[in-house]
Amino acid sequence: MHPNPAYLPIFPGNYMKHIRNFCIIAHIDHGKSTLADRLLQFTHTIADRDMQDQALDNMDLERERGITIKSHAIQMRYVHPANGEEYIFNLIDTPGHVDFSYEVSRSIAACEGALLLVDASQGIQAQTISNLYLAVDHNLEIIPIVNKVDMESAMVEDVQDQIIDLIGCKREDIISASGRTGIGVPEILAAVIDRIPAPSGDPEAPLQAMIFDSMFNSFRGVIAYVRVMNGTLRKGDKIKFYNTGTEVVAEEVGLLRMGMFEAKEIGAGDVGYVITGIKMSREIKVGDTVTHTARPCQVAIKGFEEVKPMVFAGVYPLDNDDFEDLRDALEKLQLNDASLVFEPETSVALGFGFRCGFLGMLHLEIVQERLQREFDQDIITTVPNVPYYATDMKGRRFMVHQPSEMPEPNHLDKAEEPFIYGQVITKPEYIGNIMNLCMEKRGILQKQIYLTPTRVEMTFHMPLAEIVFDFYDMLKSMTRGYASFDYHVLDYRETDLVRLDIKLNGEQVDALSALVHRSKAEYIGRRMCEKLKTLLPRQQFQIAIQAAIGAKVIARETISALRKDVTAKCYGGDISRKRKLLEKQKEGKKKMKQFGNVEVPQEAFLKVLKLND
């Protein structure tokens, strides 16, 4: 090993031939993070005394929920047992949940190979398929691995057959492993060297490096994580970002091990970081290309897929004075989570805030928690929505992003909602369940094709609004996780849309208003009222919860008042004395109701949307 491994390359002559860039892709909970832990231990990247479960998951949220939210890049060193040569591995551990598939697409764009992990007790599932297709589209070398082979419920041969059907490999190409016990780890490391190609690139060509992730450091500014495709990036070089045109100096470059290790240079094939001292997060975009100012590359690197937000919701500060702080927090969070999109908006009841786009309801929850934990922001999240078109009686057609913009029913001529072309890939035994779900969500079945005897593709036309709330959760639960769903927007079609308002003691709660189809309005209104009854804390006065369309109330629940036993001190005597005390209390409650405010707790805003919990 080189005396200072964080600096100069080990093999200056054939440096690139000894680099392997790969990621781990799998369905959620198939053991990616556990296998990554064993790889780190086996290559002595982490000392045993420093080892902890989910070593690469550095967020409290990831440990609490047991899921990976962010991709994590790390460099390892490994000596091949066959030839005794040392290799550099750049591993990127990726999330498995569908809401974080954008993280996976960015990781795949920075690699030449992928470890495809399949749980021996569960077999191939939804994200296994969609992540595999992402990897195949980028021409990555796939190493199939059956994980958790030490479990009693493991069906190793059945799962191997599934993998052979899916990717057409030979049975001997599939590695049996266990992330928990370390079975198969040496074979995986050897396969990474033998099967995954070394990065191709010219260290002498003009610099071409792709930013695949970034983070904000309050002392150093924006830190960009890059994969160098061509050329060499040295400390002190004058560089520019291809798409934004920003020109800066590379104050520090280095490699990513368990921490950041400064280096004099990073070259073609390397995965590393660059610090430029930029403090404004909007000047660096994930997916941009870094090149030299004096000798720029001719074309930008083709980035990864465009982000497709599925859920739009308003995010508002509790105190309007915190609006600028919330903007800074969102910009810094966007550096670390490029799938978050936002733009300013205003609300009658909530003041100034932002309309944010998320990949799903879990993504929305995670962003909300990160804003509270990492940036100390107290926020209110409105009901998620999709954009609609409305035409009023005067013939004016305009886009509606939030319920308050929708005209009253007597001024509305027609409303149009976005329709999607959705594709579901699943097992044949779940066809009936999925058809029922899609019909319930106002979907129109277009076609059904058997890709293999065990995989069927169903395509639907469906309103985008119907997949916002709980479509993914219901699809996953009724197919035991074995269903992948993808979509693209088709067009806008006329619909019977109404604005559903929630009122507490006659006061409208702007943040809980929603635009819904008339056929679903009564059901959703009733369920929201029932849910709010369980979520709102009792007050010393009665609270009336009402769901209304315009002036018509379609559902109501009542939260009774907390009452003090005012007659407890009366021992015997005439009943009129007790009645007098009760009447006095009743008058007080009426007055309290007149002046009292009903505060809706923040957790209620999200929980009220999960109507089927």
PDB file of all heavy atoms in Angstrom, residues 439-450:
ATOM      1  N   MET A 439     -59.903   0.476 -10.734  1.00  0.00           N
ATOM      2  CA  MET A 439     -61.285   0.886 -11.033  1.00  0.00           C
ATOM      3  C   MET A 439     -61.803   1.808  -9.915  1.00  0.00           C
ATOM      4  O   MET A 439     -62.501   2.788 -10.170  1.00  0.00           O
ATOM      5  CB  MET A 439     -62.217  -0.335 -11.141  1.00  0.00           C
ATOM      6  CG  MET A 439     -61.831  -1.311 -12.231  1.00  0.00           C
ATOM      7  SD  MET A 439     -61.789  -0.586 -13.885  1.00  0.00           S
ATOM      8  CE  MET A 439     -61.269  -1.979 -14.865  1.00  0.00           C
ATOM      9  N   GLU A 440     -61.475   1.452  -8.679  1.00  0.00           N
ATOM     10  CA  GLU A 440     -61.877   2.265  -7.525  1.00  0.00           C
ATOM     11  C   GLU A 440     -61.280   3.668  -7.621  1.00  0.00           C
ATOM     12  O   GLU A 440     -61.873   4.651  -7.188  1.00  0.00           O
ATOM     13  CB  GLU A 440     -61.370   1.561  -6.256  1.00  0.00           C
ATOM     14  CG  GLU A 440     -61.874   2.140  -4.957  1.00  0.00           C
ATOM     15  CD  GLU A 440     -61.212   1.440  -3.777  1.00  0.00           C
ATOM     16  OE1 GLU A 440     -61.278   0.198  -3.696  1.00  0.00           O
ATOM     17  OE2 GLU A 440     -60.599   2.139  -2.964  1.00  0.00           O
ATOM     18  N   LYS A 441     -60.090   3.756  -8.226  1.00  0.00           N
ATOM     19  CA  LYS A 441     -59.403   5.044  -8.392  1.00  0.00           C
ATOM     20  C   LYS A 441     -59.750   5.702  -9.732  1.00  0.00           C
ATOM     21  O   LYS A 441     -58.987   6.506 -10.244  1.00  0.00           O
ATOM     22  CB  LYS A 441     -57.883   4.835  -8.305  1.00  0.00           C
ATOM     23  CG  LYS A 441     -57.398   4.285  -6.973  1.00  0.00           C
ATOM     24  CD  LYS A 441     -57.468   5.310  -5.887  1.00  0.00           C
ATOM     25  CE  LYS A 441     -56.869   4.806  -4.589  1.00  0.00           C
ATOM     26  NZ  LYS A 441     -57.029   5.770  -3.499  1.00  0.00           N
ATOM     27  N   ARG A 442     -60.871   5.306 -10.323  1.00  0.00           N
ATOM     28  CA  ARG A 442     -61.361   5.882 -11.589  1.00  0.00           C
ATOM     29  C   ARG A 442     -60.426   5.606 -12.764  1.00  0.00           C
ATOM     30  O   ARG A 442     -60.307   6.400 -13.683  1.00  0.00           O
ATOM     31  CB  ARG A 442     -61.613   7.388 -11.450  1.00  0.00           C
ATOM     32  CG  ARG A 442     -62.686   7.730 -10.433  1.00  0.00           C
ATOM     33  CD  ARG A 442     -63.058   9.195 -10.486  1.00  0.00           C
ATOM     34  NE  ARG A 442     -62.036  10.047  -9.909  1.00  0.00           N
ATOM     35  CZ  ARG A 442     -61.555  11.120 -10.492  1.00  0.00           C
ATOM     36  NH1 ARG A 442     -61.986  11.488 -11.683  1.00  0.00           N
ATOM     37  NH2 ARG A 442     -60.641  11.857  -9.884  1.00  0.00           N
ATOM     38  N   GLY A 443     -59.711   4.474 -12.700  1.00  0.00           N
ATOM     39  CA  GLY A 443     -58.791   4.102 -13.777  1.00  0.00           C
ATOM     40  C   GLY A 443     -59.521   3.389 -14.910  1.00  0.00           C
ATOM     41  O   GLY A 443     -60.562   2.775 -14.701  1.00  0.00           O
ATOM     42  N   ILE A 444     -58.958   3.476 -16.117  1.00  0.00           N
ATOM     43  CA  ILE A 444     -59.535   2.794 -17.295  1.00  0.00           C
ATOM     44  C   ILE A 444     -58.469   1.842 -17.822  1.00  0.00           C
ATOM     45  O   ILE A 444     -57.387   2.273 -18.247  1.00  0.00           O
ATOM     46  CB  ILE A 444     -59.917   3.805 -18.397  1.00  0.00           C
ATOM     47  CG1 ILE A 444     -60.847   4.890 -17.837  1.00  0.00           C
ATOM     48  CG2 ILE A 444     -60.551   3.099 -19.577  1.00  0.00           C
ATOM     49  CD1 ILE A 444     -60.844   6.175 -18.634  1.00  0.00           C
ATOM     50  N   LEU A 445     -58.748   0.526 -17.759  1.00  0.00           N
ATOM     51  CA  LEU A 445     -57.778  -0.475 -18.216  1.00  0.00           C
ATOM     52  C   LEU A 445     -57.594  -0.365 -19.727  1.00  0.00           C
ATOM     53  O   LEU A 445     -58.562  -0.368 -20.485  1.00  0.00           O
ATOM     54  CB  LEU A 445     -58.255  -1.878 -17.836  1.00  0.00           C
ATOM     55  CG  LEU A 445     -57.346  -3.034 -18.278  1.00  0.00           C
ATOM     56  CD1 LEU A 445     -56.008  -2.974 -17.558  1.00  0.00           C
ATOM     57  CD2 LEU A 445     -58.014  -4.375 -18.018  1.00  0.00           C
ATOM     58  N   GLN A 446     -56.336  -0.270 -20.181  1.00  0.00           N
ATOM     59  CA  GLN A 446     -56.037  -0.158 -21.613  1.00  0.00           C
ATOM     60  C   GLN A 446     -55.621  -1.509 -22.201  1.00  0.00           C
ATOM     61  O   GLN A 446     -56.143  -1.943 -23.198  1.00  0.00           O
ATOM     62  CB  GLN A 446     -54.909   0.867 -21.835  1.00  0.00           C
ATOM     63  CG  GLN A 446     -55.272   2.277 -21.391  1.00  0.00           C
ATOM     64  CD  GLN A 446     -56.451   2.839 -22.148  1.00  0.00           C
ATOM     65  OE1 GLN A 446     -56.474   2.858 -23.368  1.00  0.00           O
ATOM     66  NE2 GLN A 446     -57.476   3.273 -21.412  1.00  0.00           N
ATOM     67  N   LYS A 447     -54.645  -2.149 -21.558  1.00  0.00           N
ATOM     68  CA  LYS A 447     -54.215  -3.465 -22.069  1.00  0.00           C
ATOM     69  C   LYS A 447     -53.515  -4.249 -20.967  1.00  0.00           C
ATOM     70  O   LYS A 447     -53.110  -3.690 -19.941  1.00  0.00           O
ATOM     71  CB  LYS A 447     -53.299  -3.311 -23.290  1.00  0.00           C
ATOM     72  CG  LYS A 447     -52.041  -2.510 -23.048  1.00  0.00           C
ATOM     73  CD  LYS A 447     -51.259  -2.340 -24.340  1.00  0.00           C
ATOM     74  CE  LYS A 447     -50.023  -1.461 -24.112  1.00  0.00           C
ATOM     75  NZ  LYS A 447     -49.254  -1.224 -25.315  1.00  0.00           N
ATOM     76  N   GLN A 448     -53.361  -5.540 -21.237  1.00  0.00           N
ATOM     77  CA  GLN A 448     -52.729  -6.444 -20.272  1.00  0.00           C
ATOM     78  C   GLN A 448     -51.857  -7.412 -21.064  1.00  0.00           C
ATOM     79  O   GLN A 448     -52.339  -8.108 -21.949  1.00  0.00           O
ATOM     80  CB  GLN A 448     -53.851  -7.180 -19.529  1.00  0.00           C
ATOM     81  CG  GLN A 448     -53.403  -8.117 -18.447  1.00  0.00           C
ATOM     82  CD  GLN A 448     -54.607  -8.732 -17.750  1.00  0.00           C
ATOM     83  OE1 GLN A 448     -55.541  -8.039 -17.371  1.00  0.00           O
ATOM     84  NE2 GLN A 448     -54.605 -10.042 -17.609  1.00  0.00           N
ATOM     85  N   ILE A 449     -50.551  -7.432 -20.749  1.00  0.00           N
ATOM     86  CA  ILE A 449     -49.612  -8.252 -21.520  1.00  0.00           C
ATOM     87  C   ILE A 449     -48.792  -9.123 -20.553  1.00  0.00           C
ATOM     88  O   ILE A 449     -48.288  -8.624 -19.535  1.00  0.00           O
ATOM     89  CB  ILE A 449     -48.625  -7.368 -22.324  1.00  0.00           C
ATOM     90  CG1 ILE A 449     -49.378  -6.444 -23.275  1.00  0.00           C
ATOM     91  CG2 ILE A 449     -47.625  -8.213 -23.101  1.00  0.00           C
ATOM     92  CD1 ILE A 449     -48.511  -5.348 -23.876  1.00  0.00           C
ATOM     93  N   TYR A 450     -48.656 -10.416 -20.906  1.00  0.00           N
ATOM     94  CA  TYR A 450     -47.786 -11.305 -20.121  1.00  0.00           C
ATOM     95  C   TYR A 450     -46.357 -11.186 -20.653  1.00  0.00           C
ATOM     96  O   TYR A 450     -46.082 -11.570 -21.783  1.00  0.00           O
ATOM     97  CB  TYR A 450     -48.268 -12.751 -20.202  1.00  0.00           C
ATOM     98  CG  TYR A 450     -49.387 -13.053 -19.239  1.00  0.00           C
ATOM     99  CD1 TYR A 450     -50.710 -12.729 -19.558  1.00  0.00           C
ATOM    100  CD2 TYR A 450     -49.132 -13.633 -17.997  1.00  0.00           C
ATOM    101  CE1 TYR A 450     -51.744 -12.974 -18.675  1.00  0.00           C
ATOM    102  CE2 TYR A 450     -50.157 -13.888 -17.098  1.00  0.00           C
ATOM    103  CZ  TYR A 450     -51.462 -13.563 -17.443  1.00  0.00           C
ATOM    104  OH  TYR A 450     -52.470 -13.806 -16.553  1.00  0.00           O
TER     105      TYR A 450
END
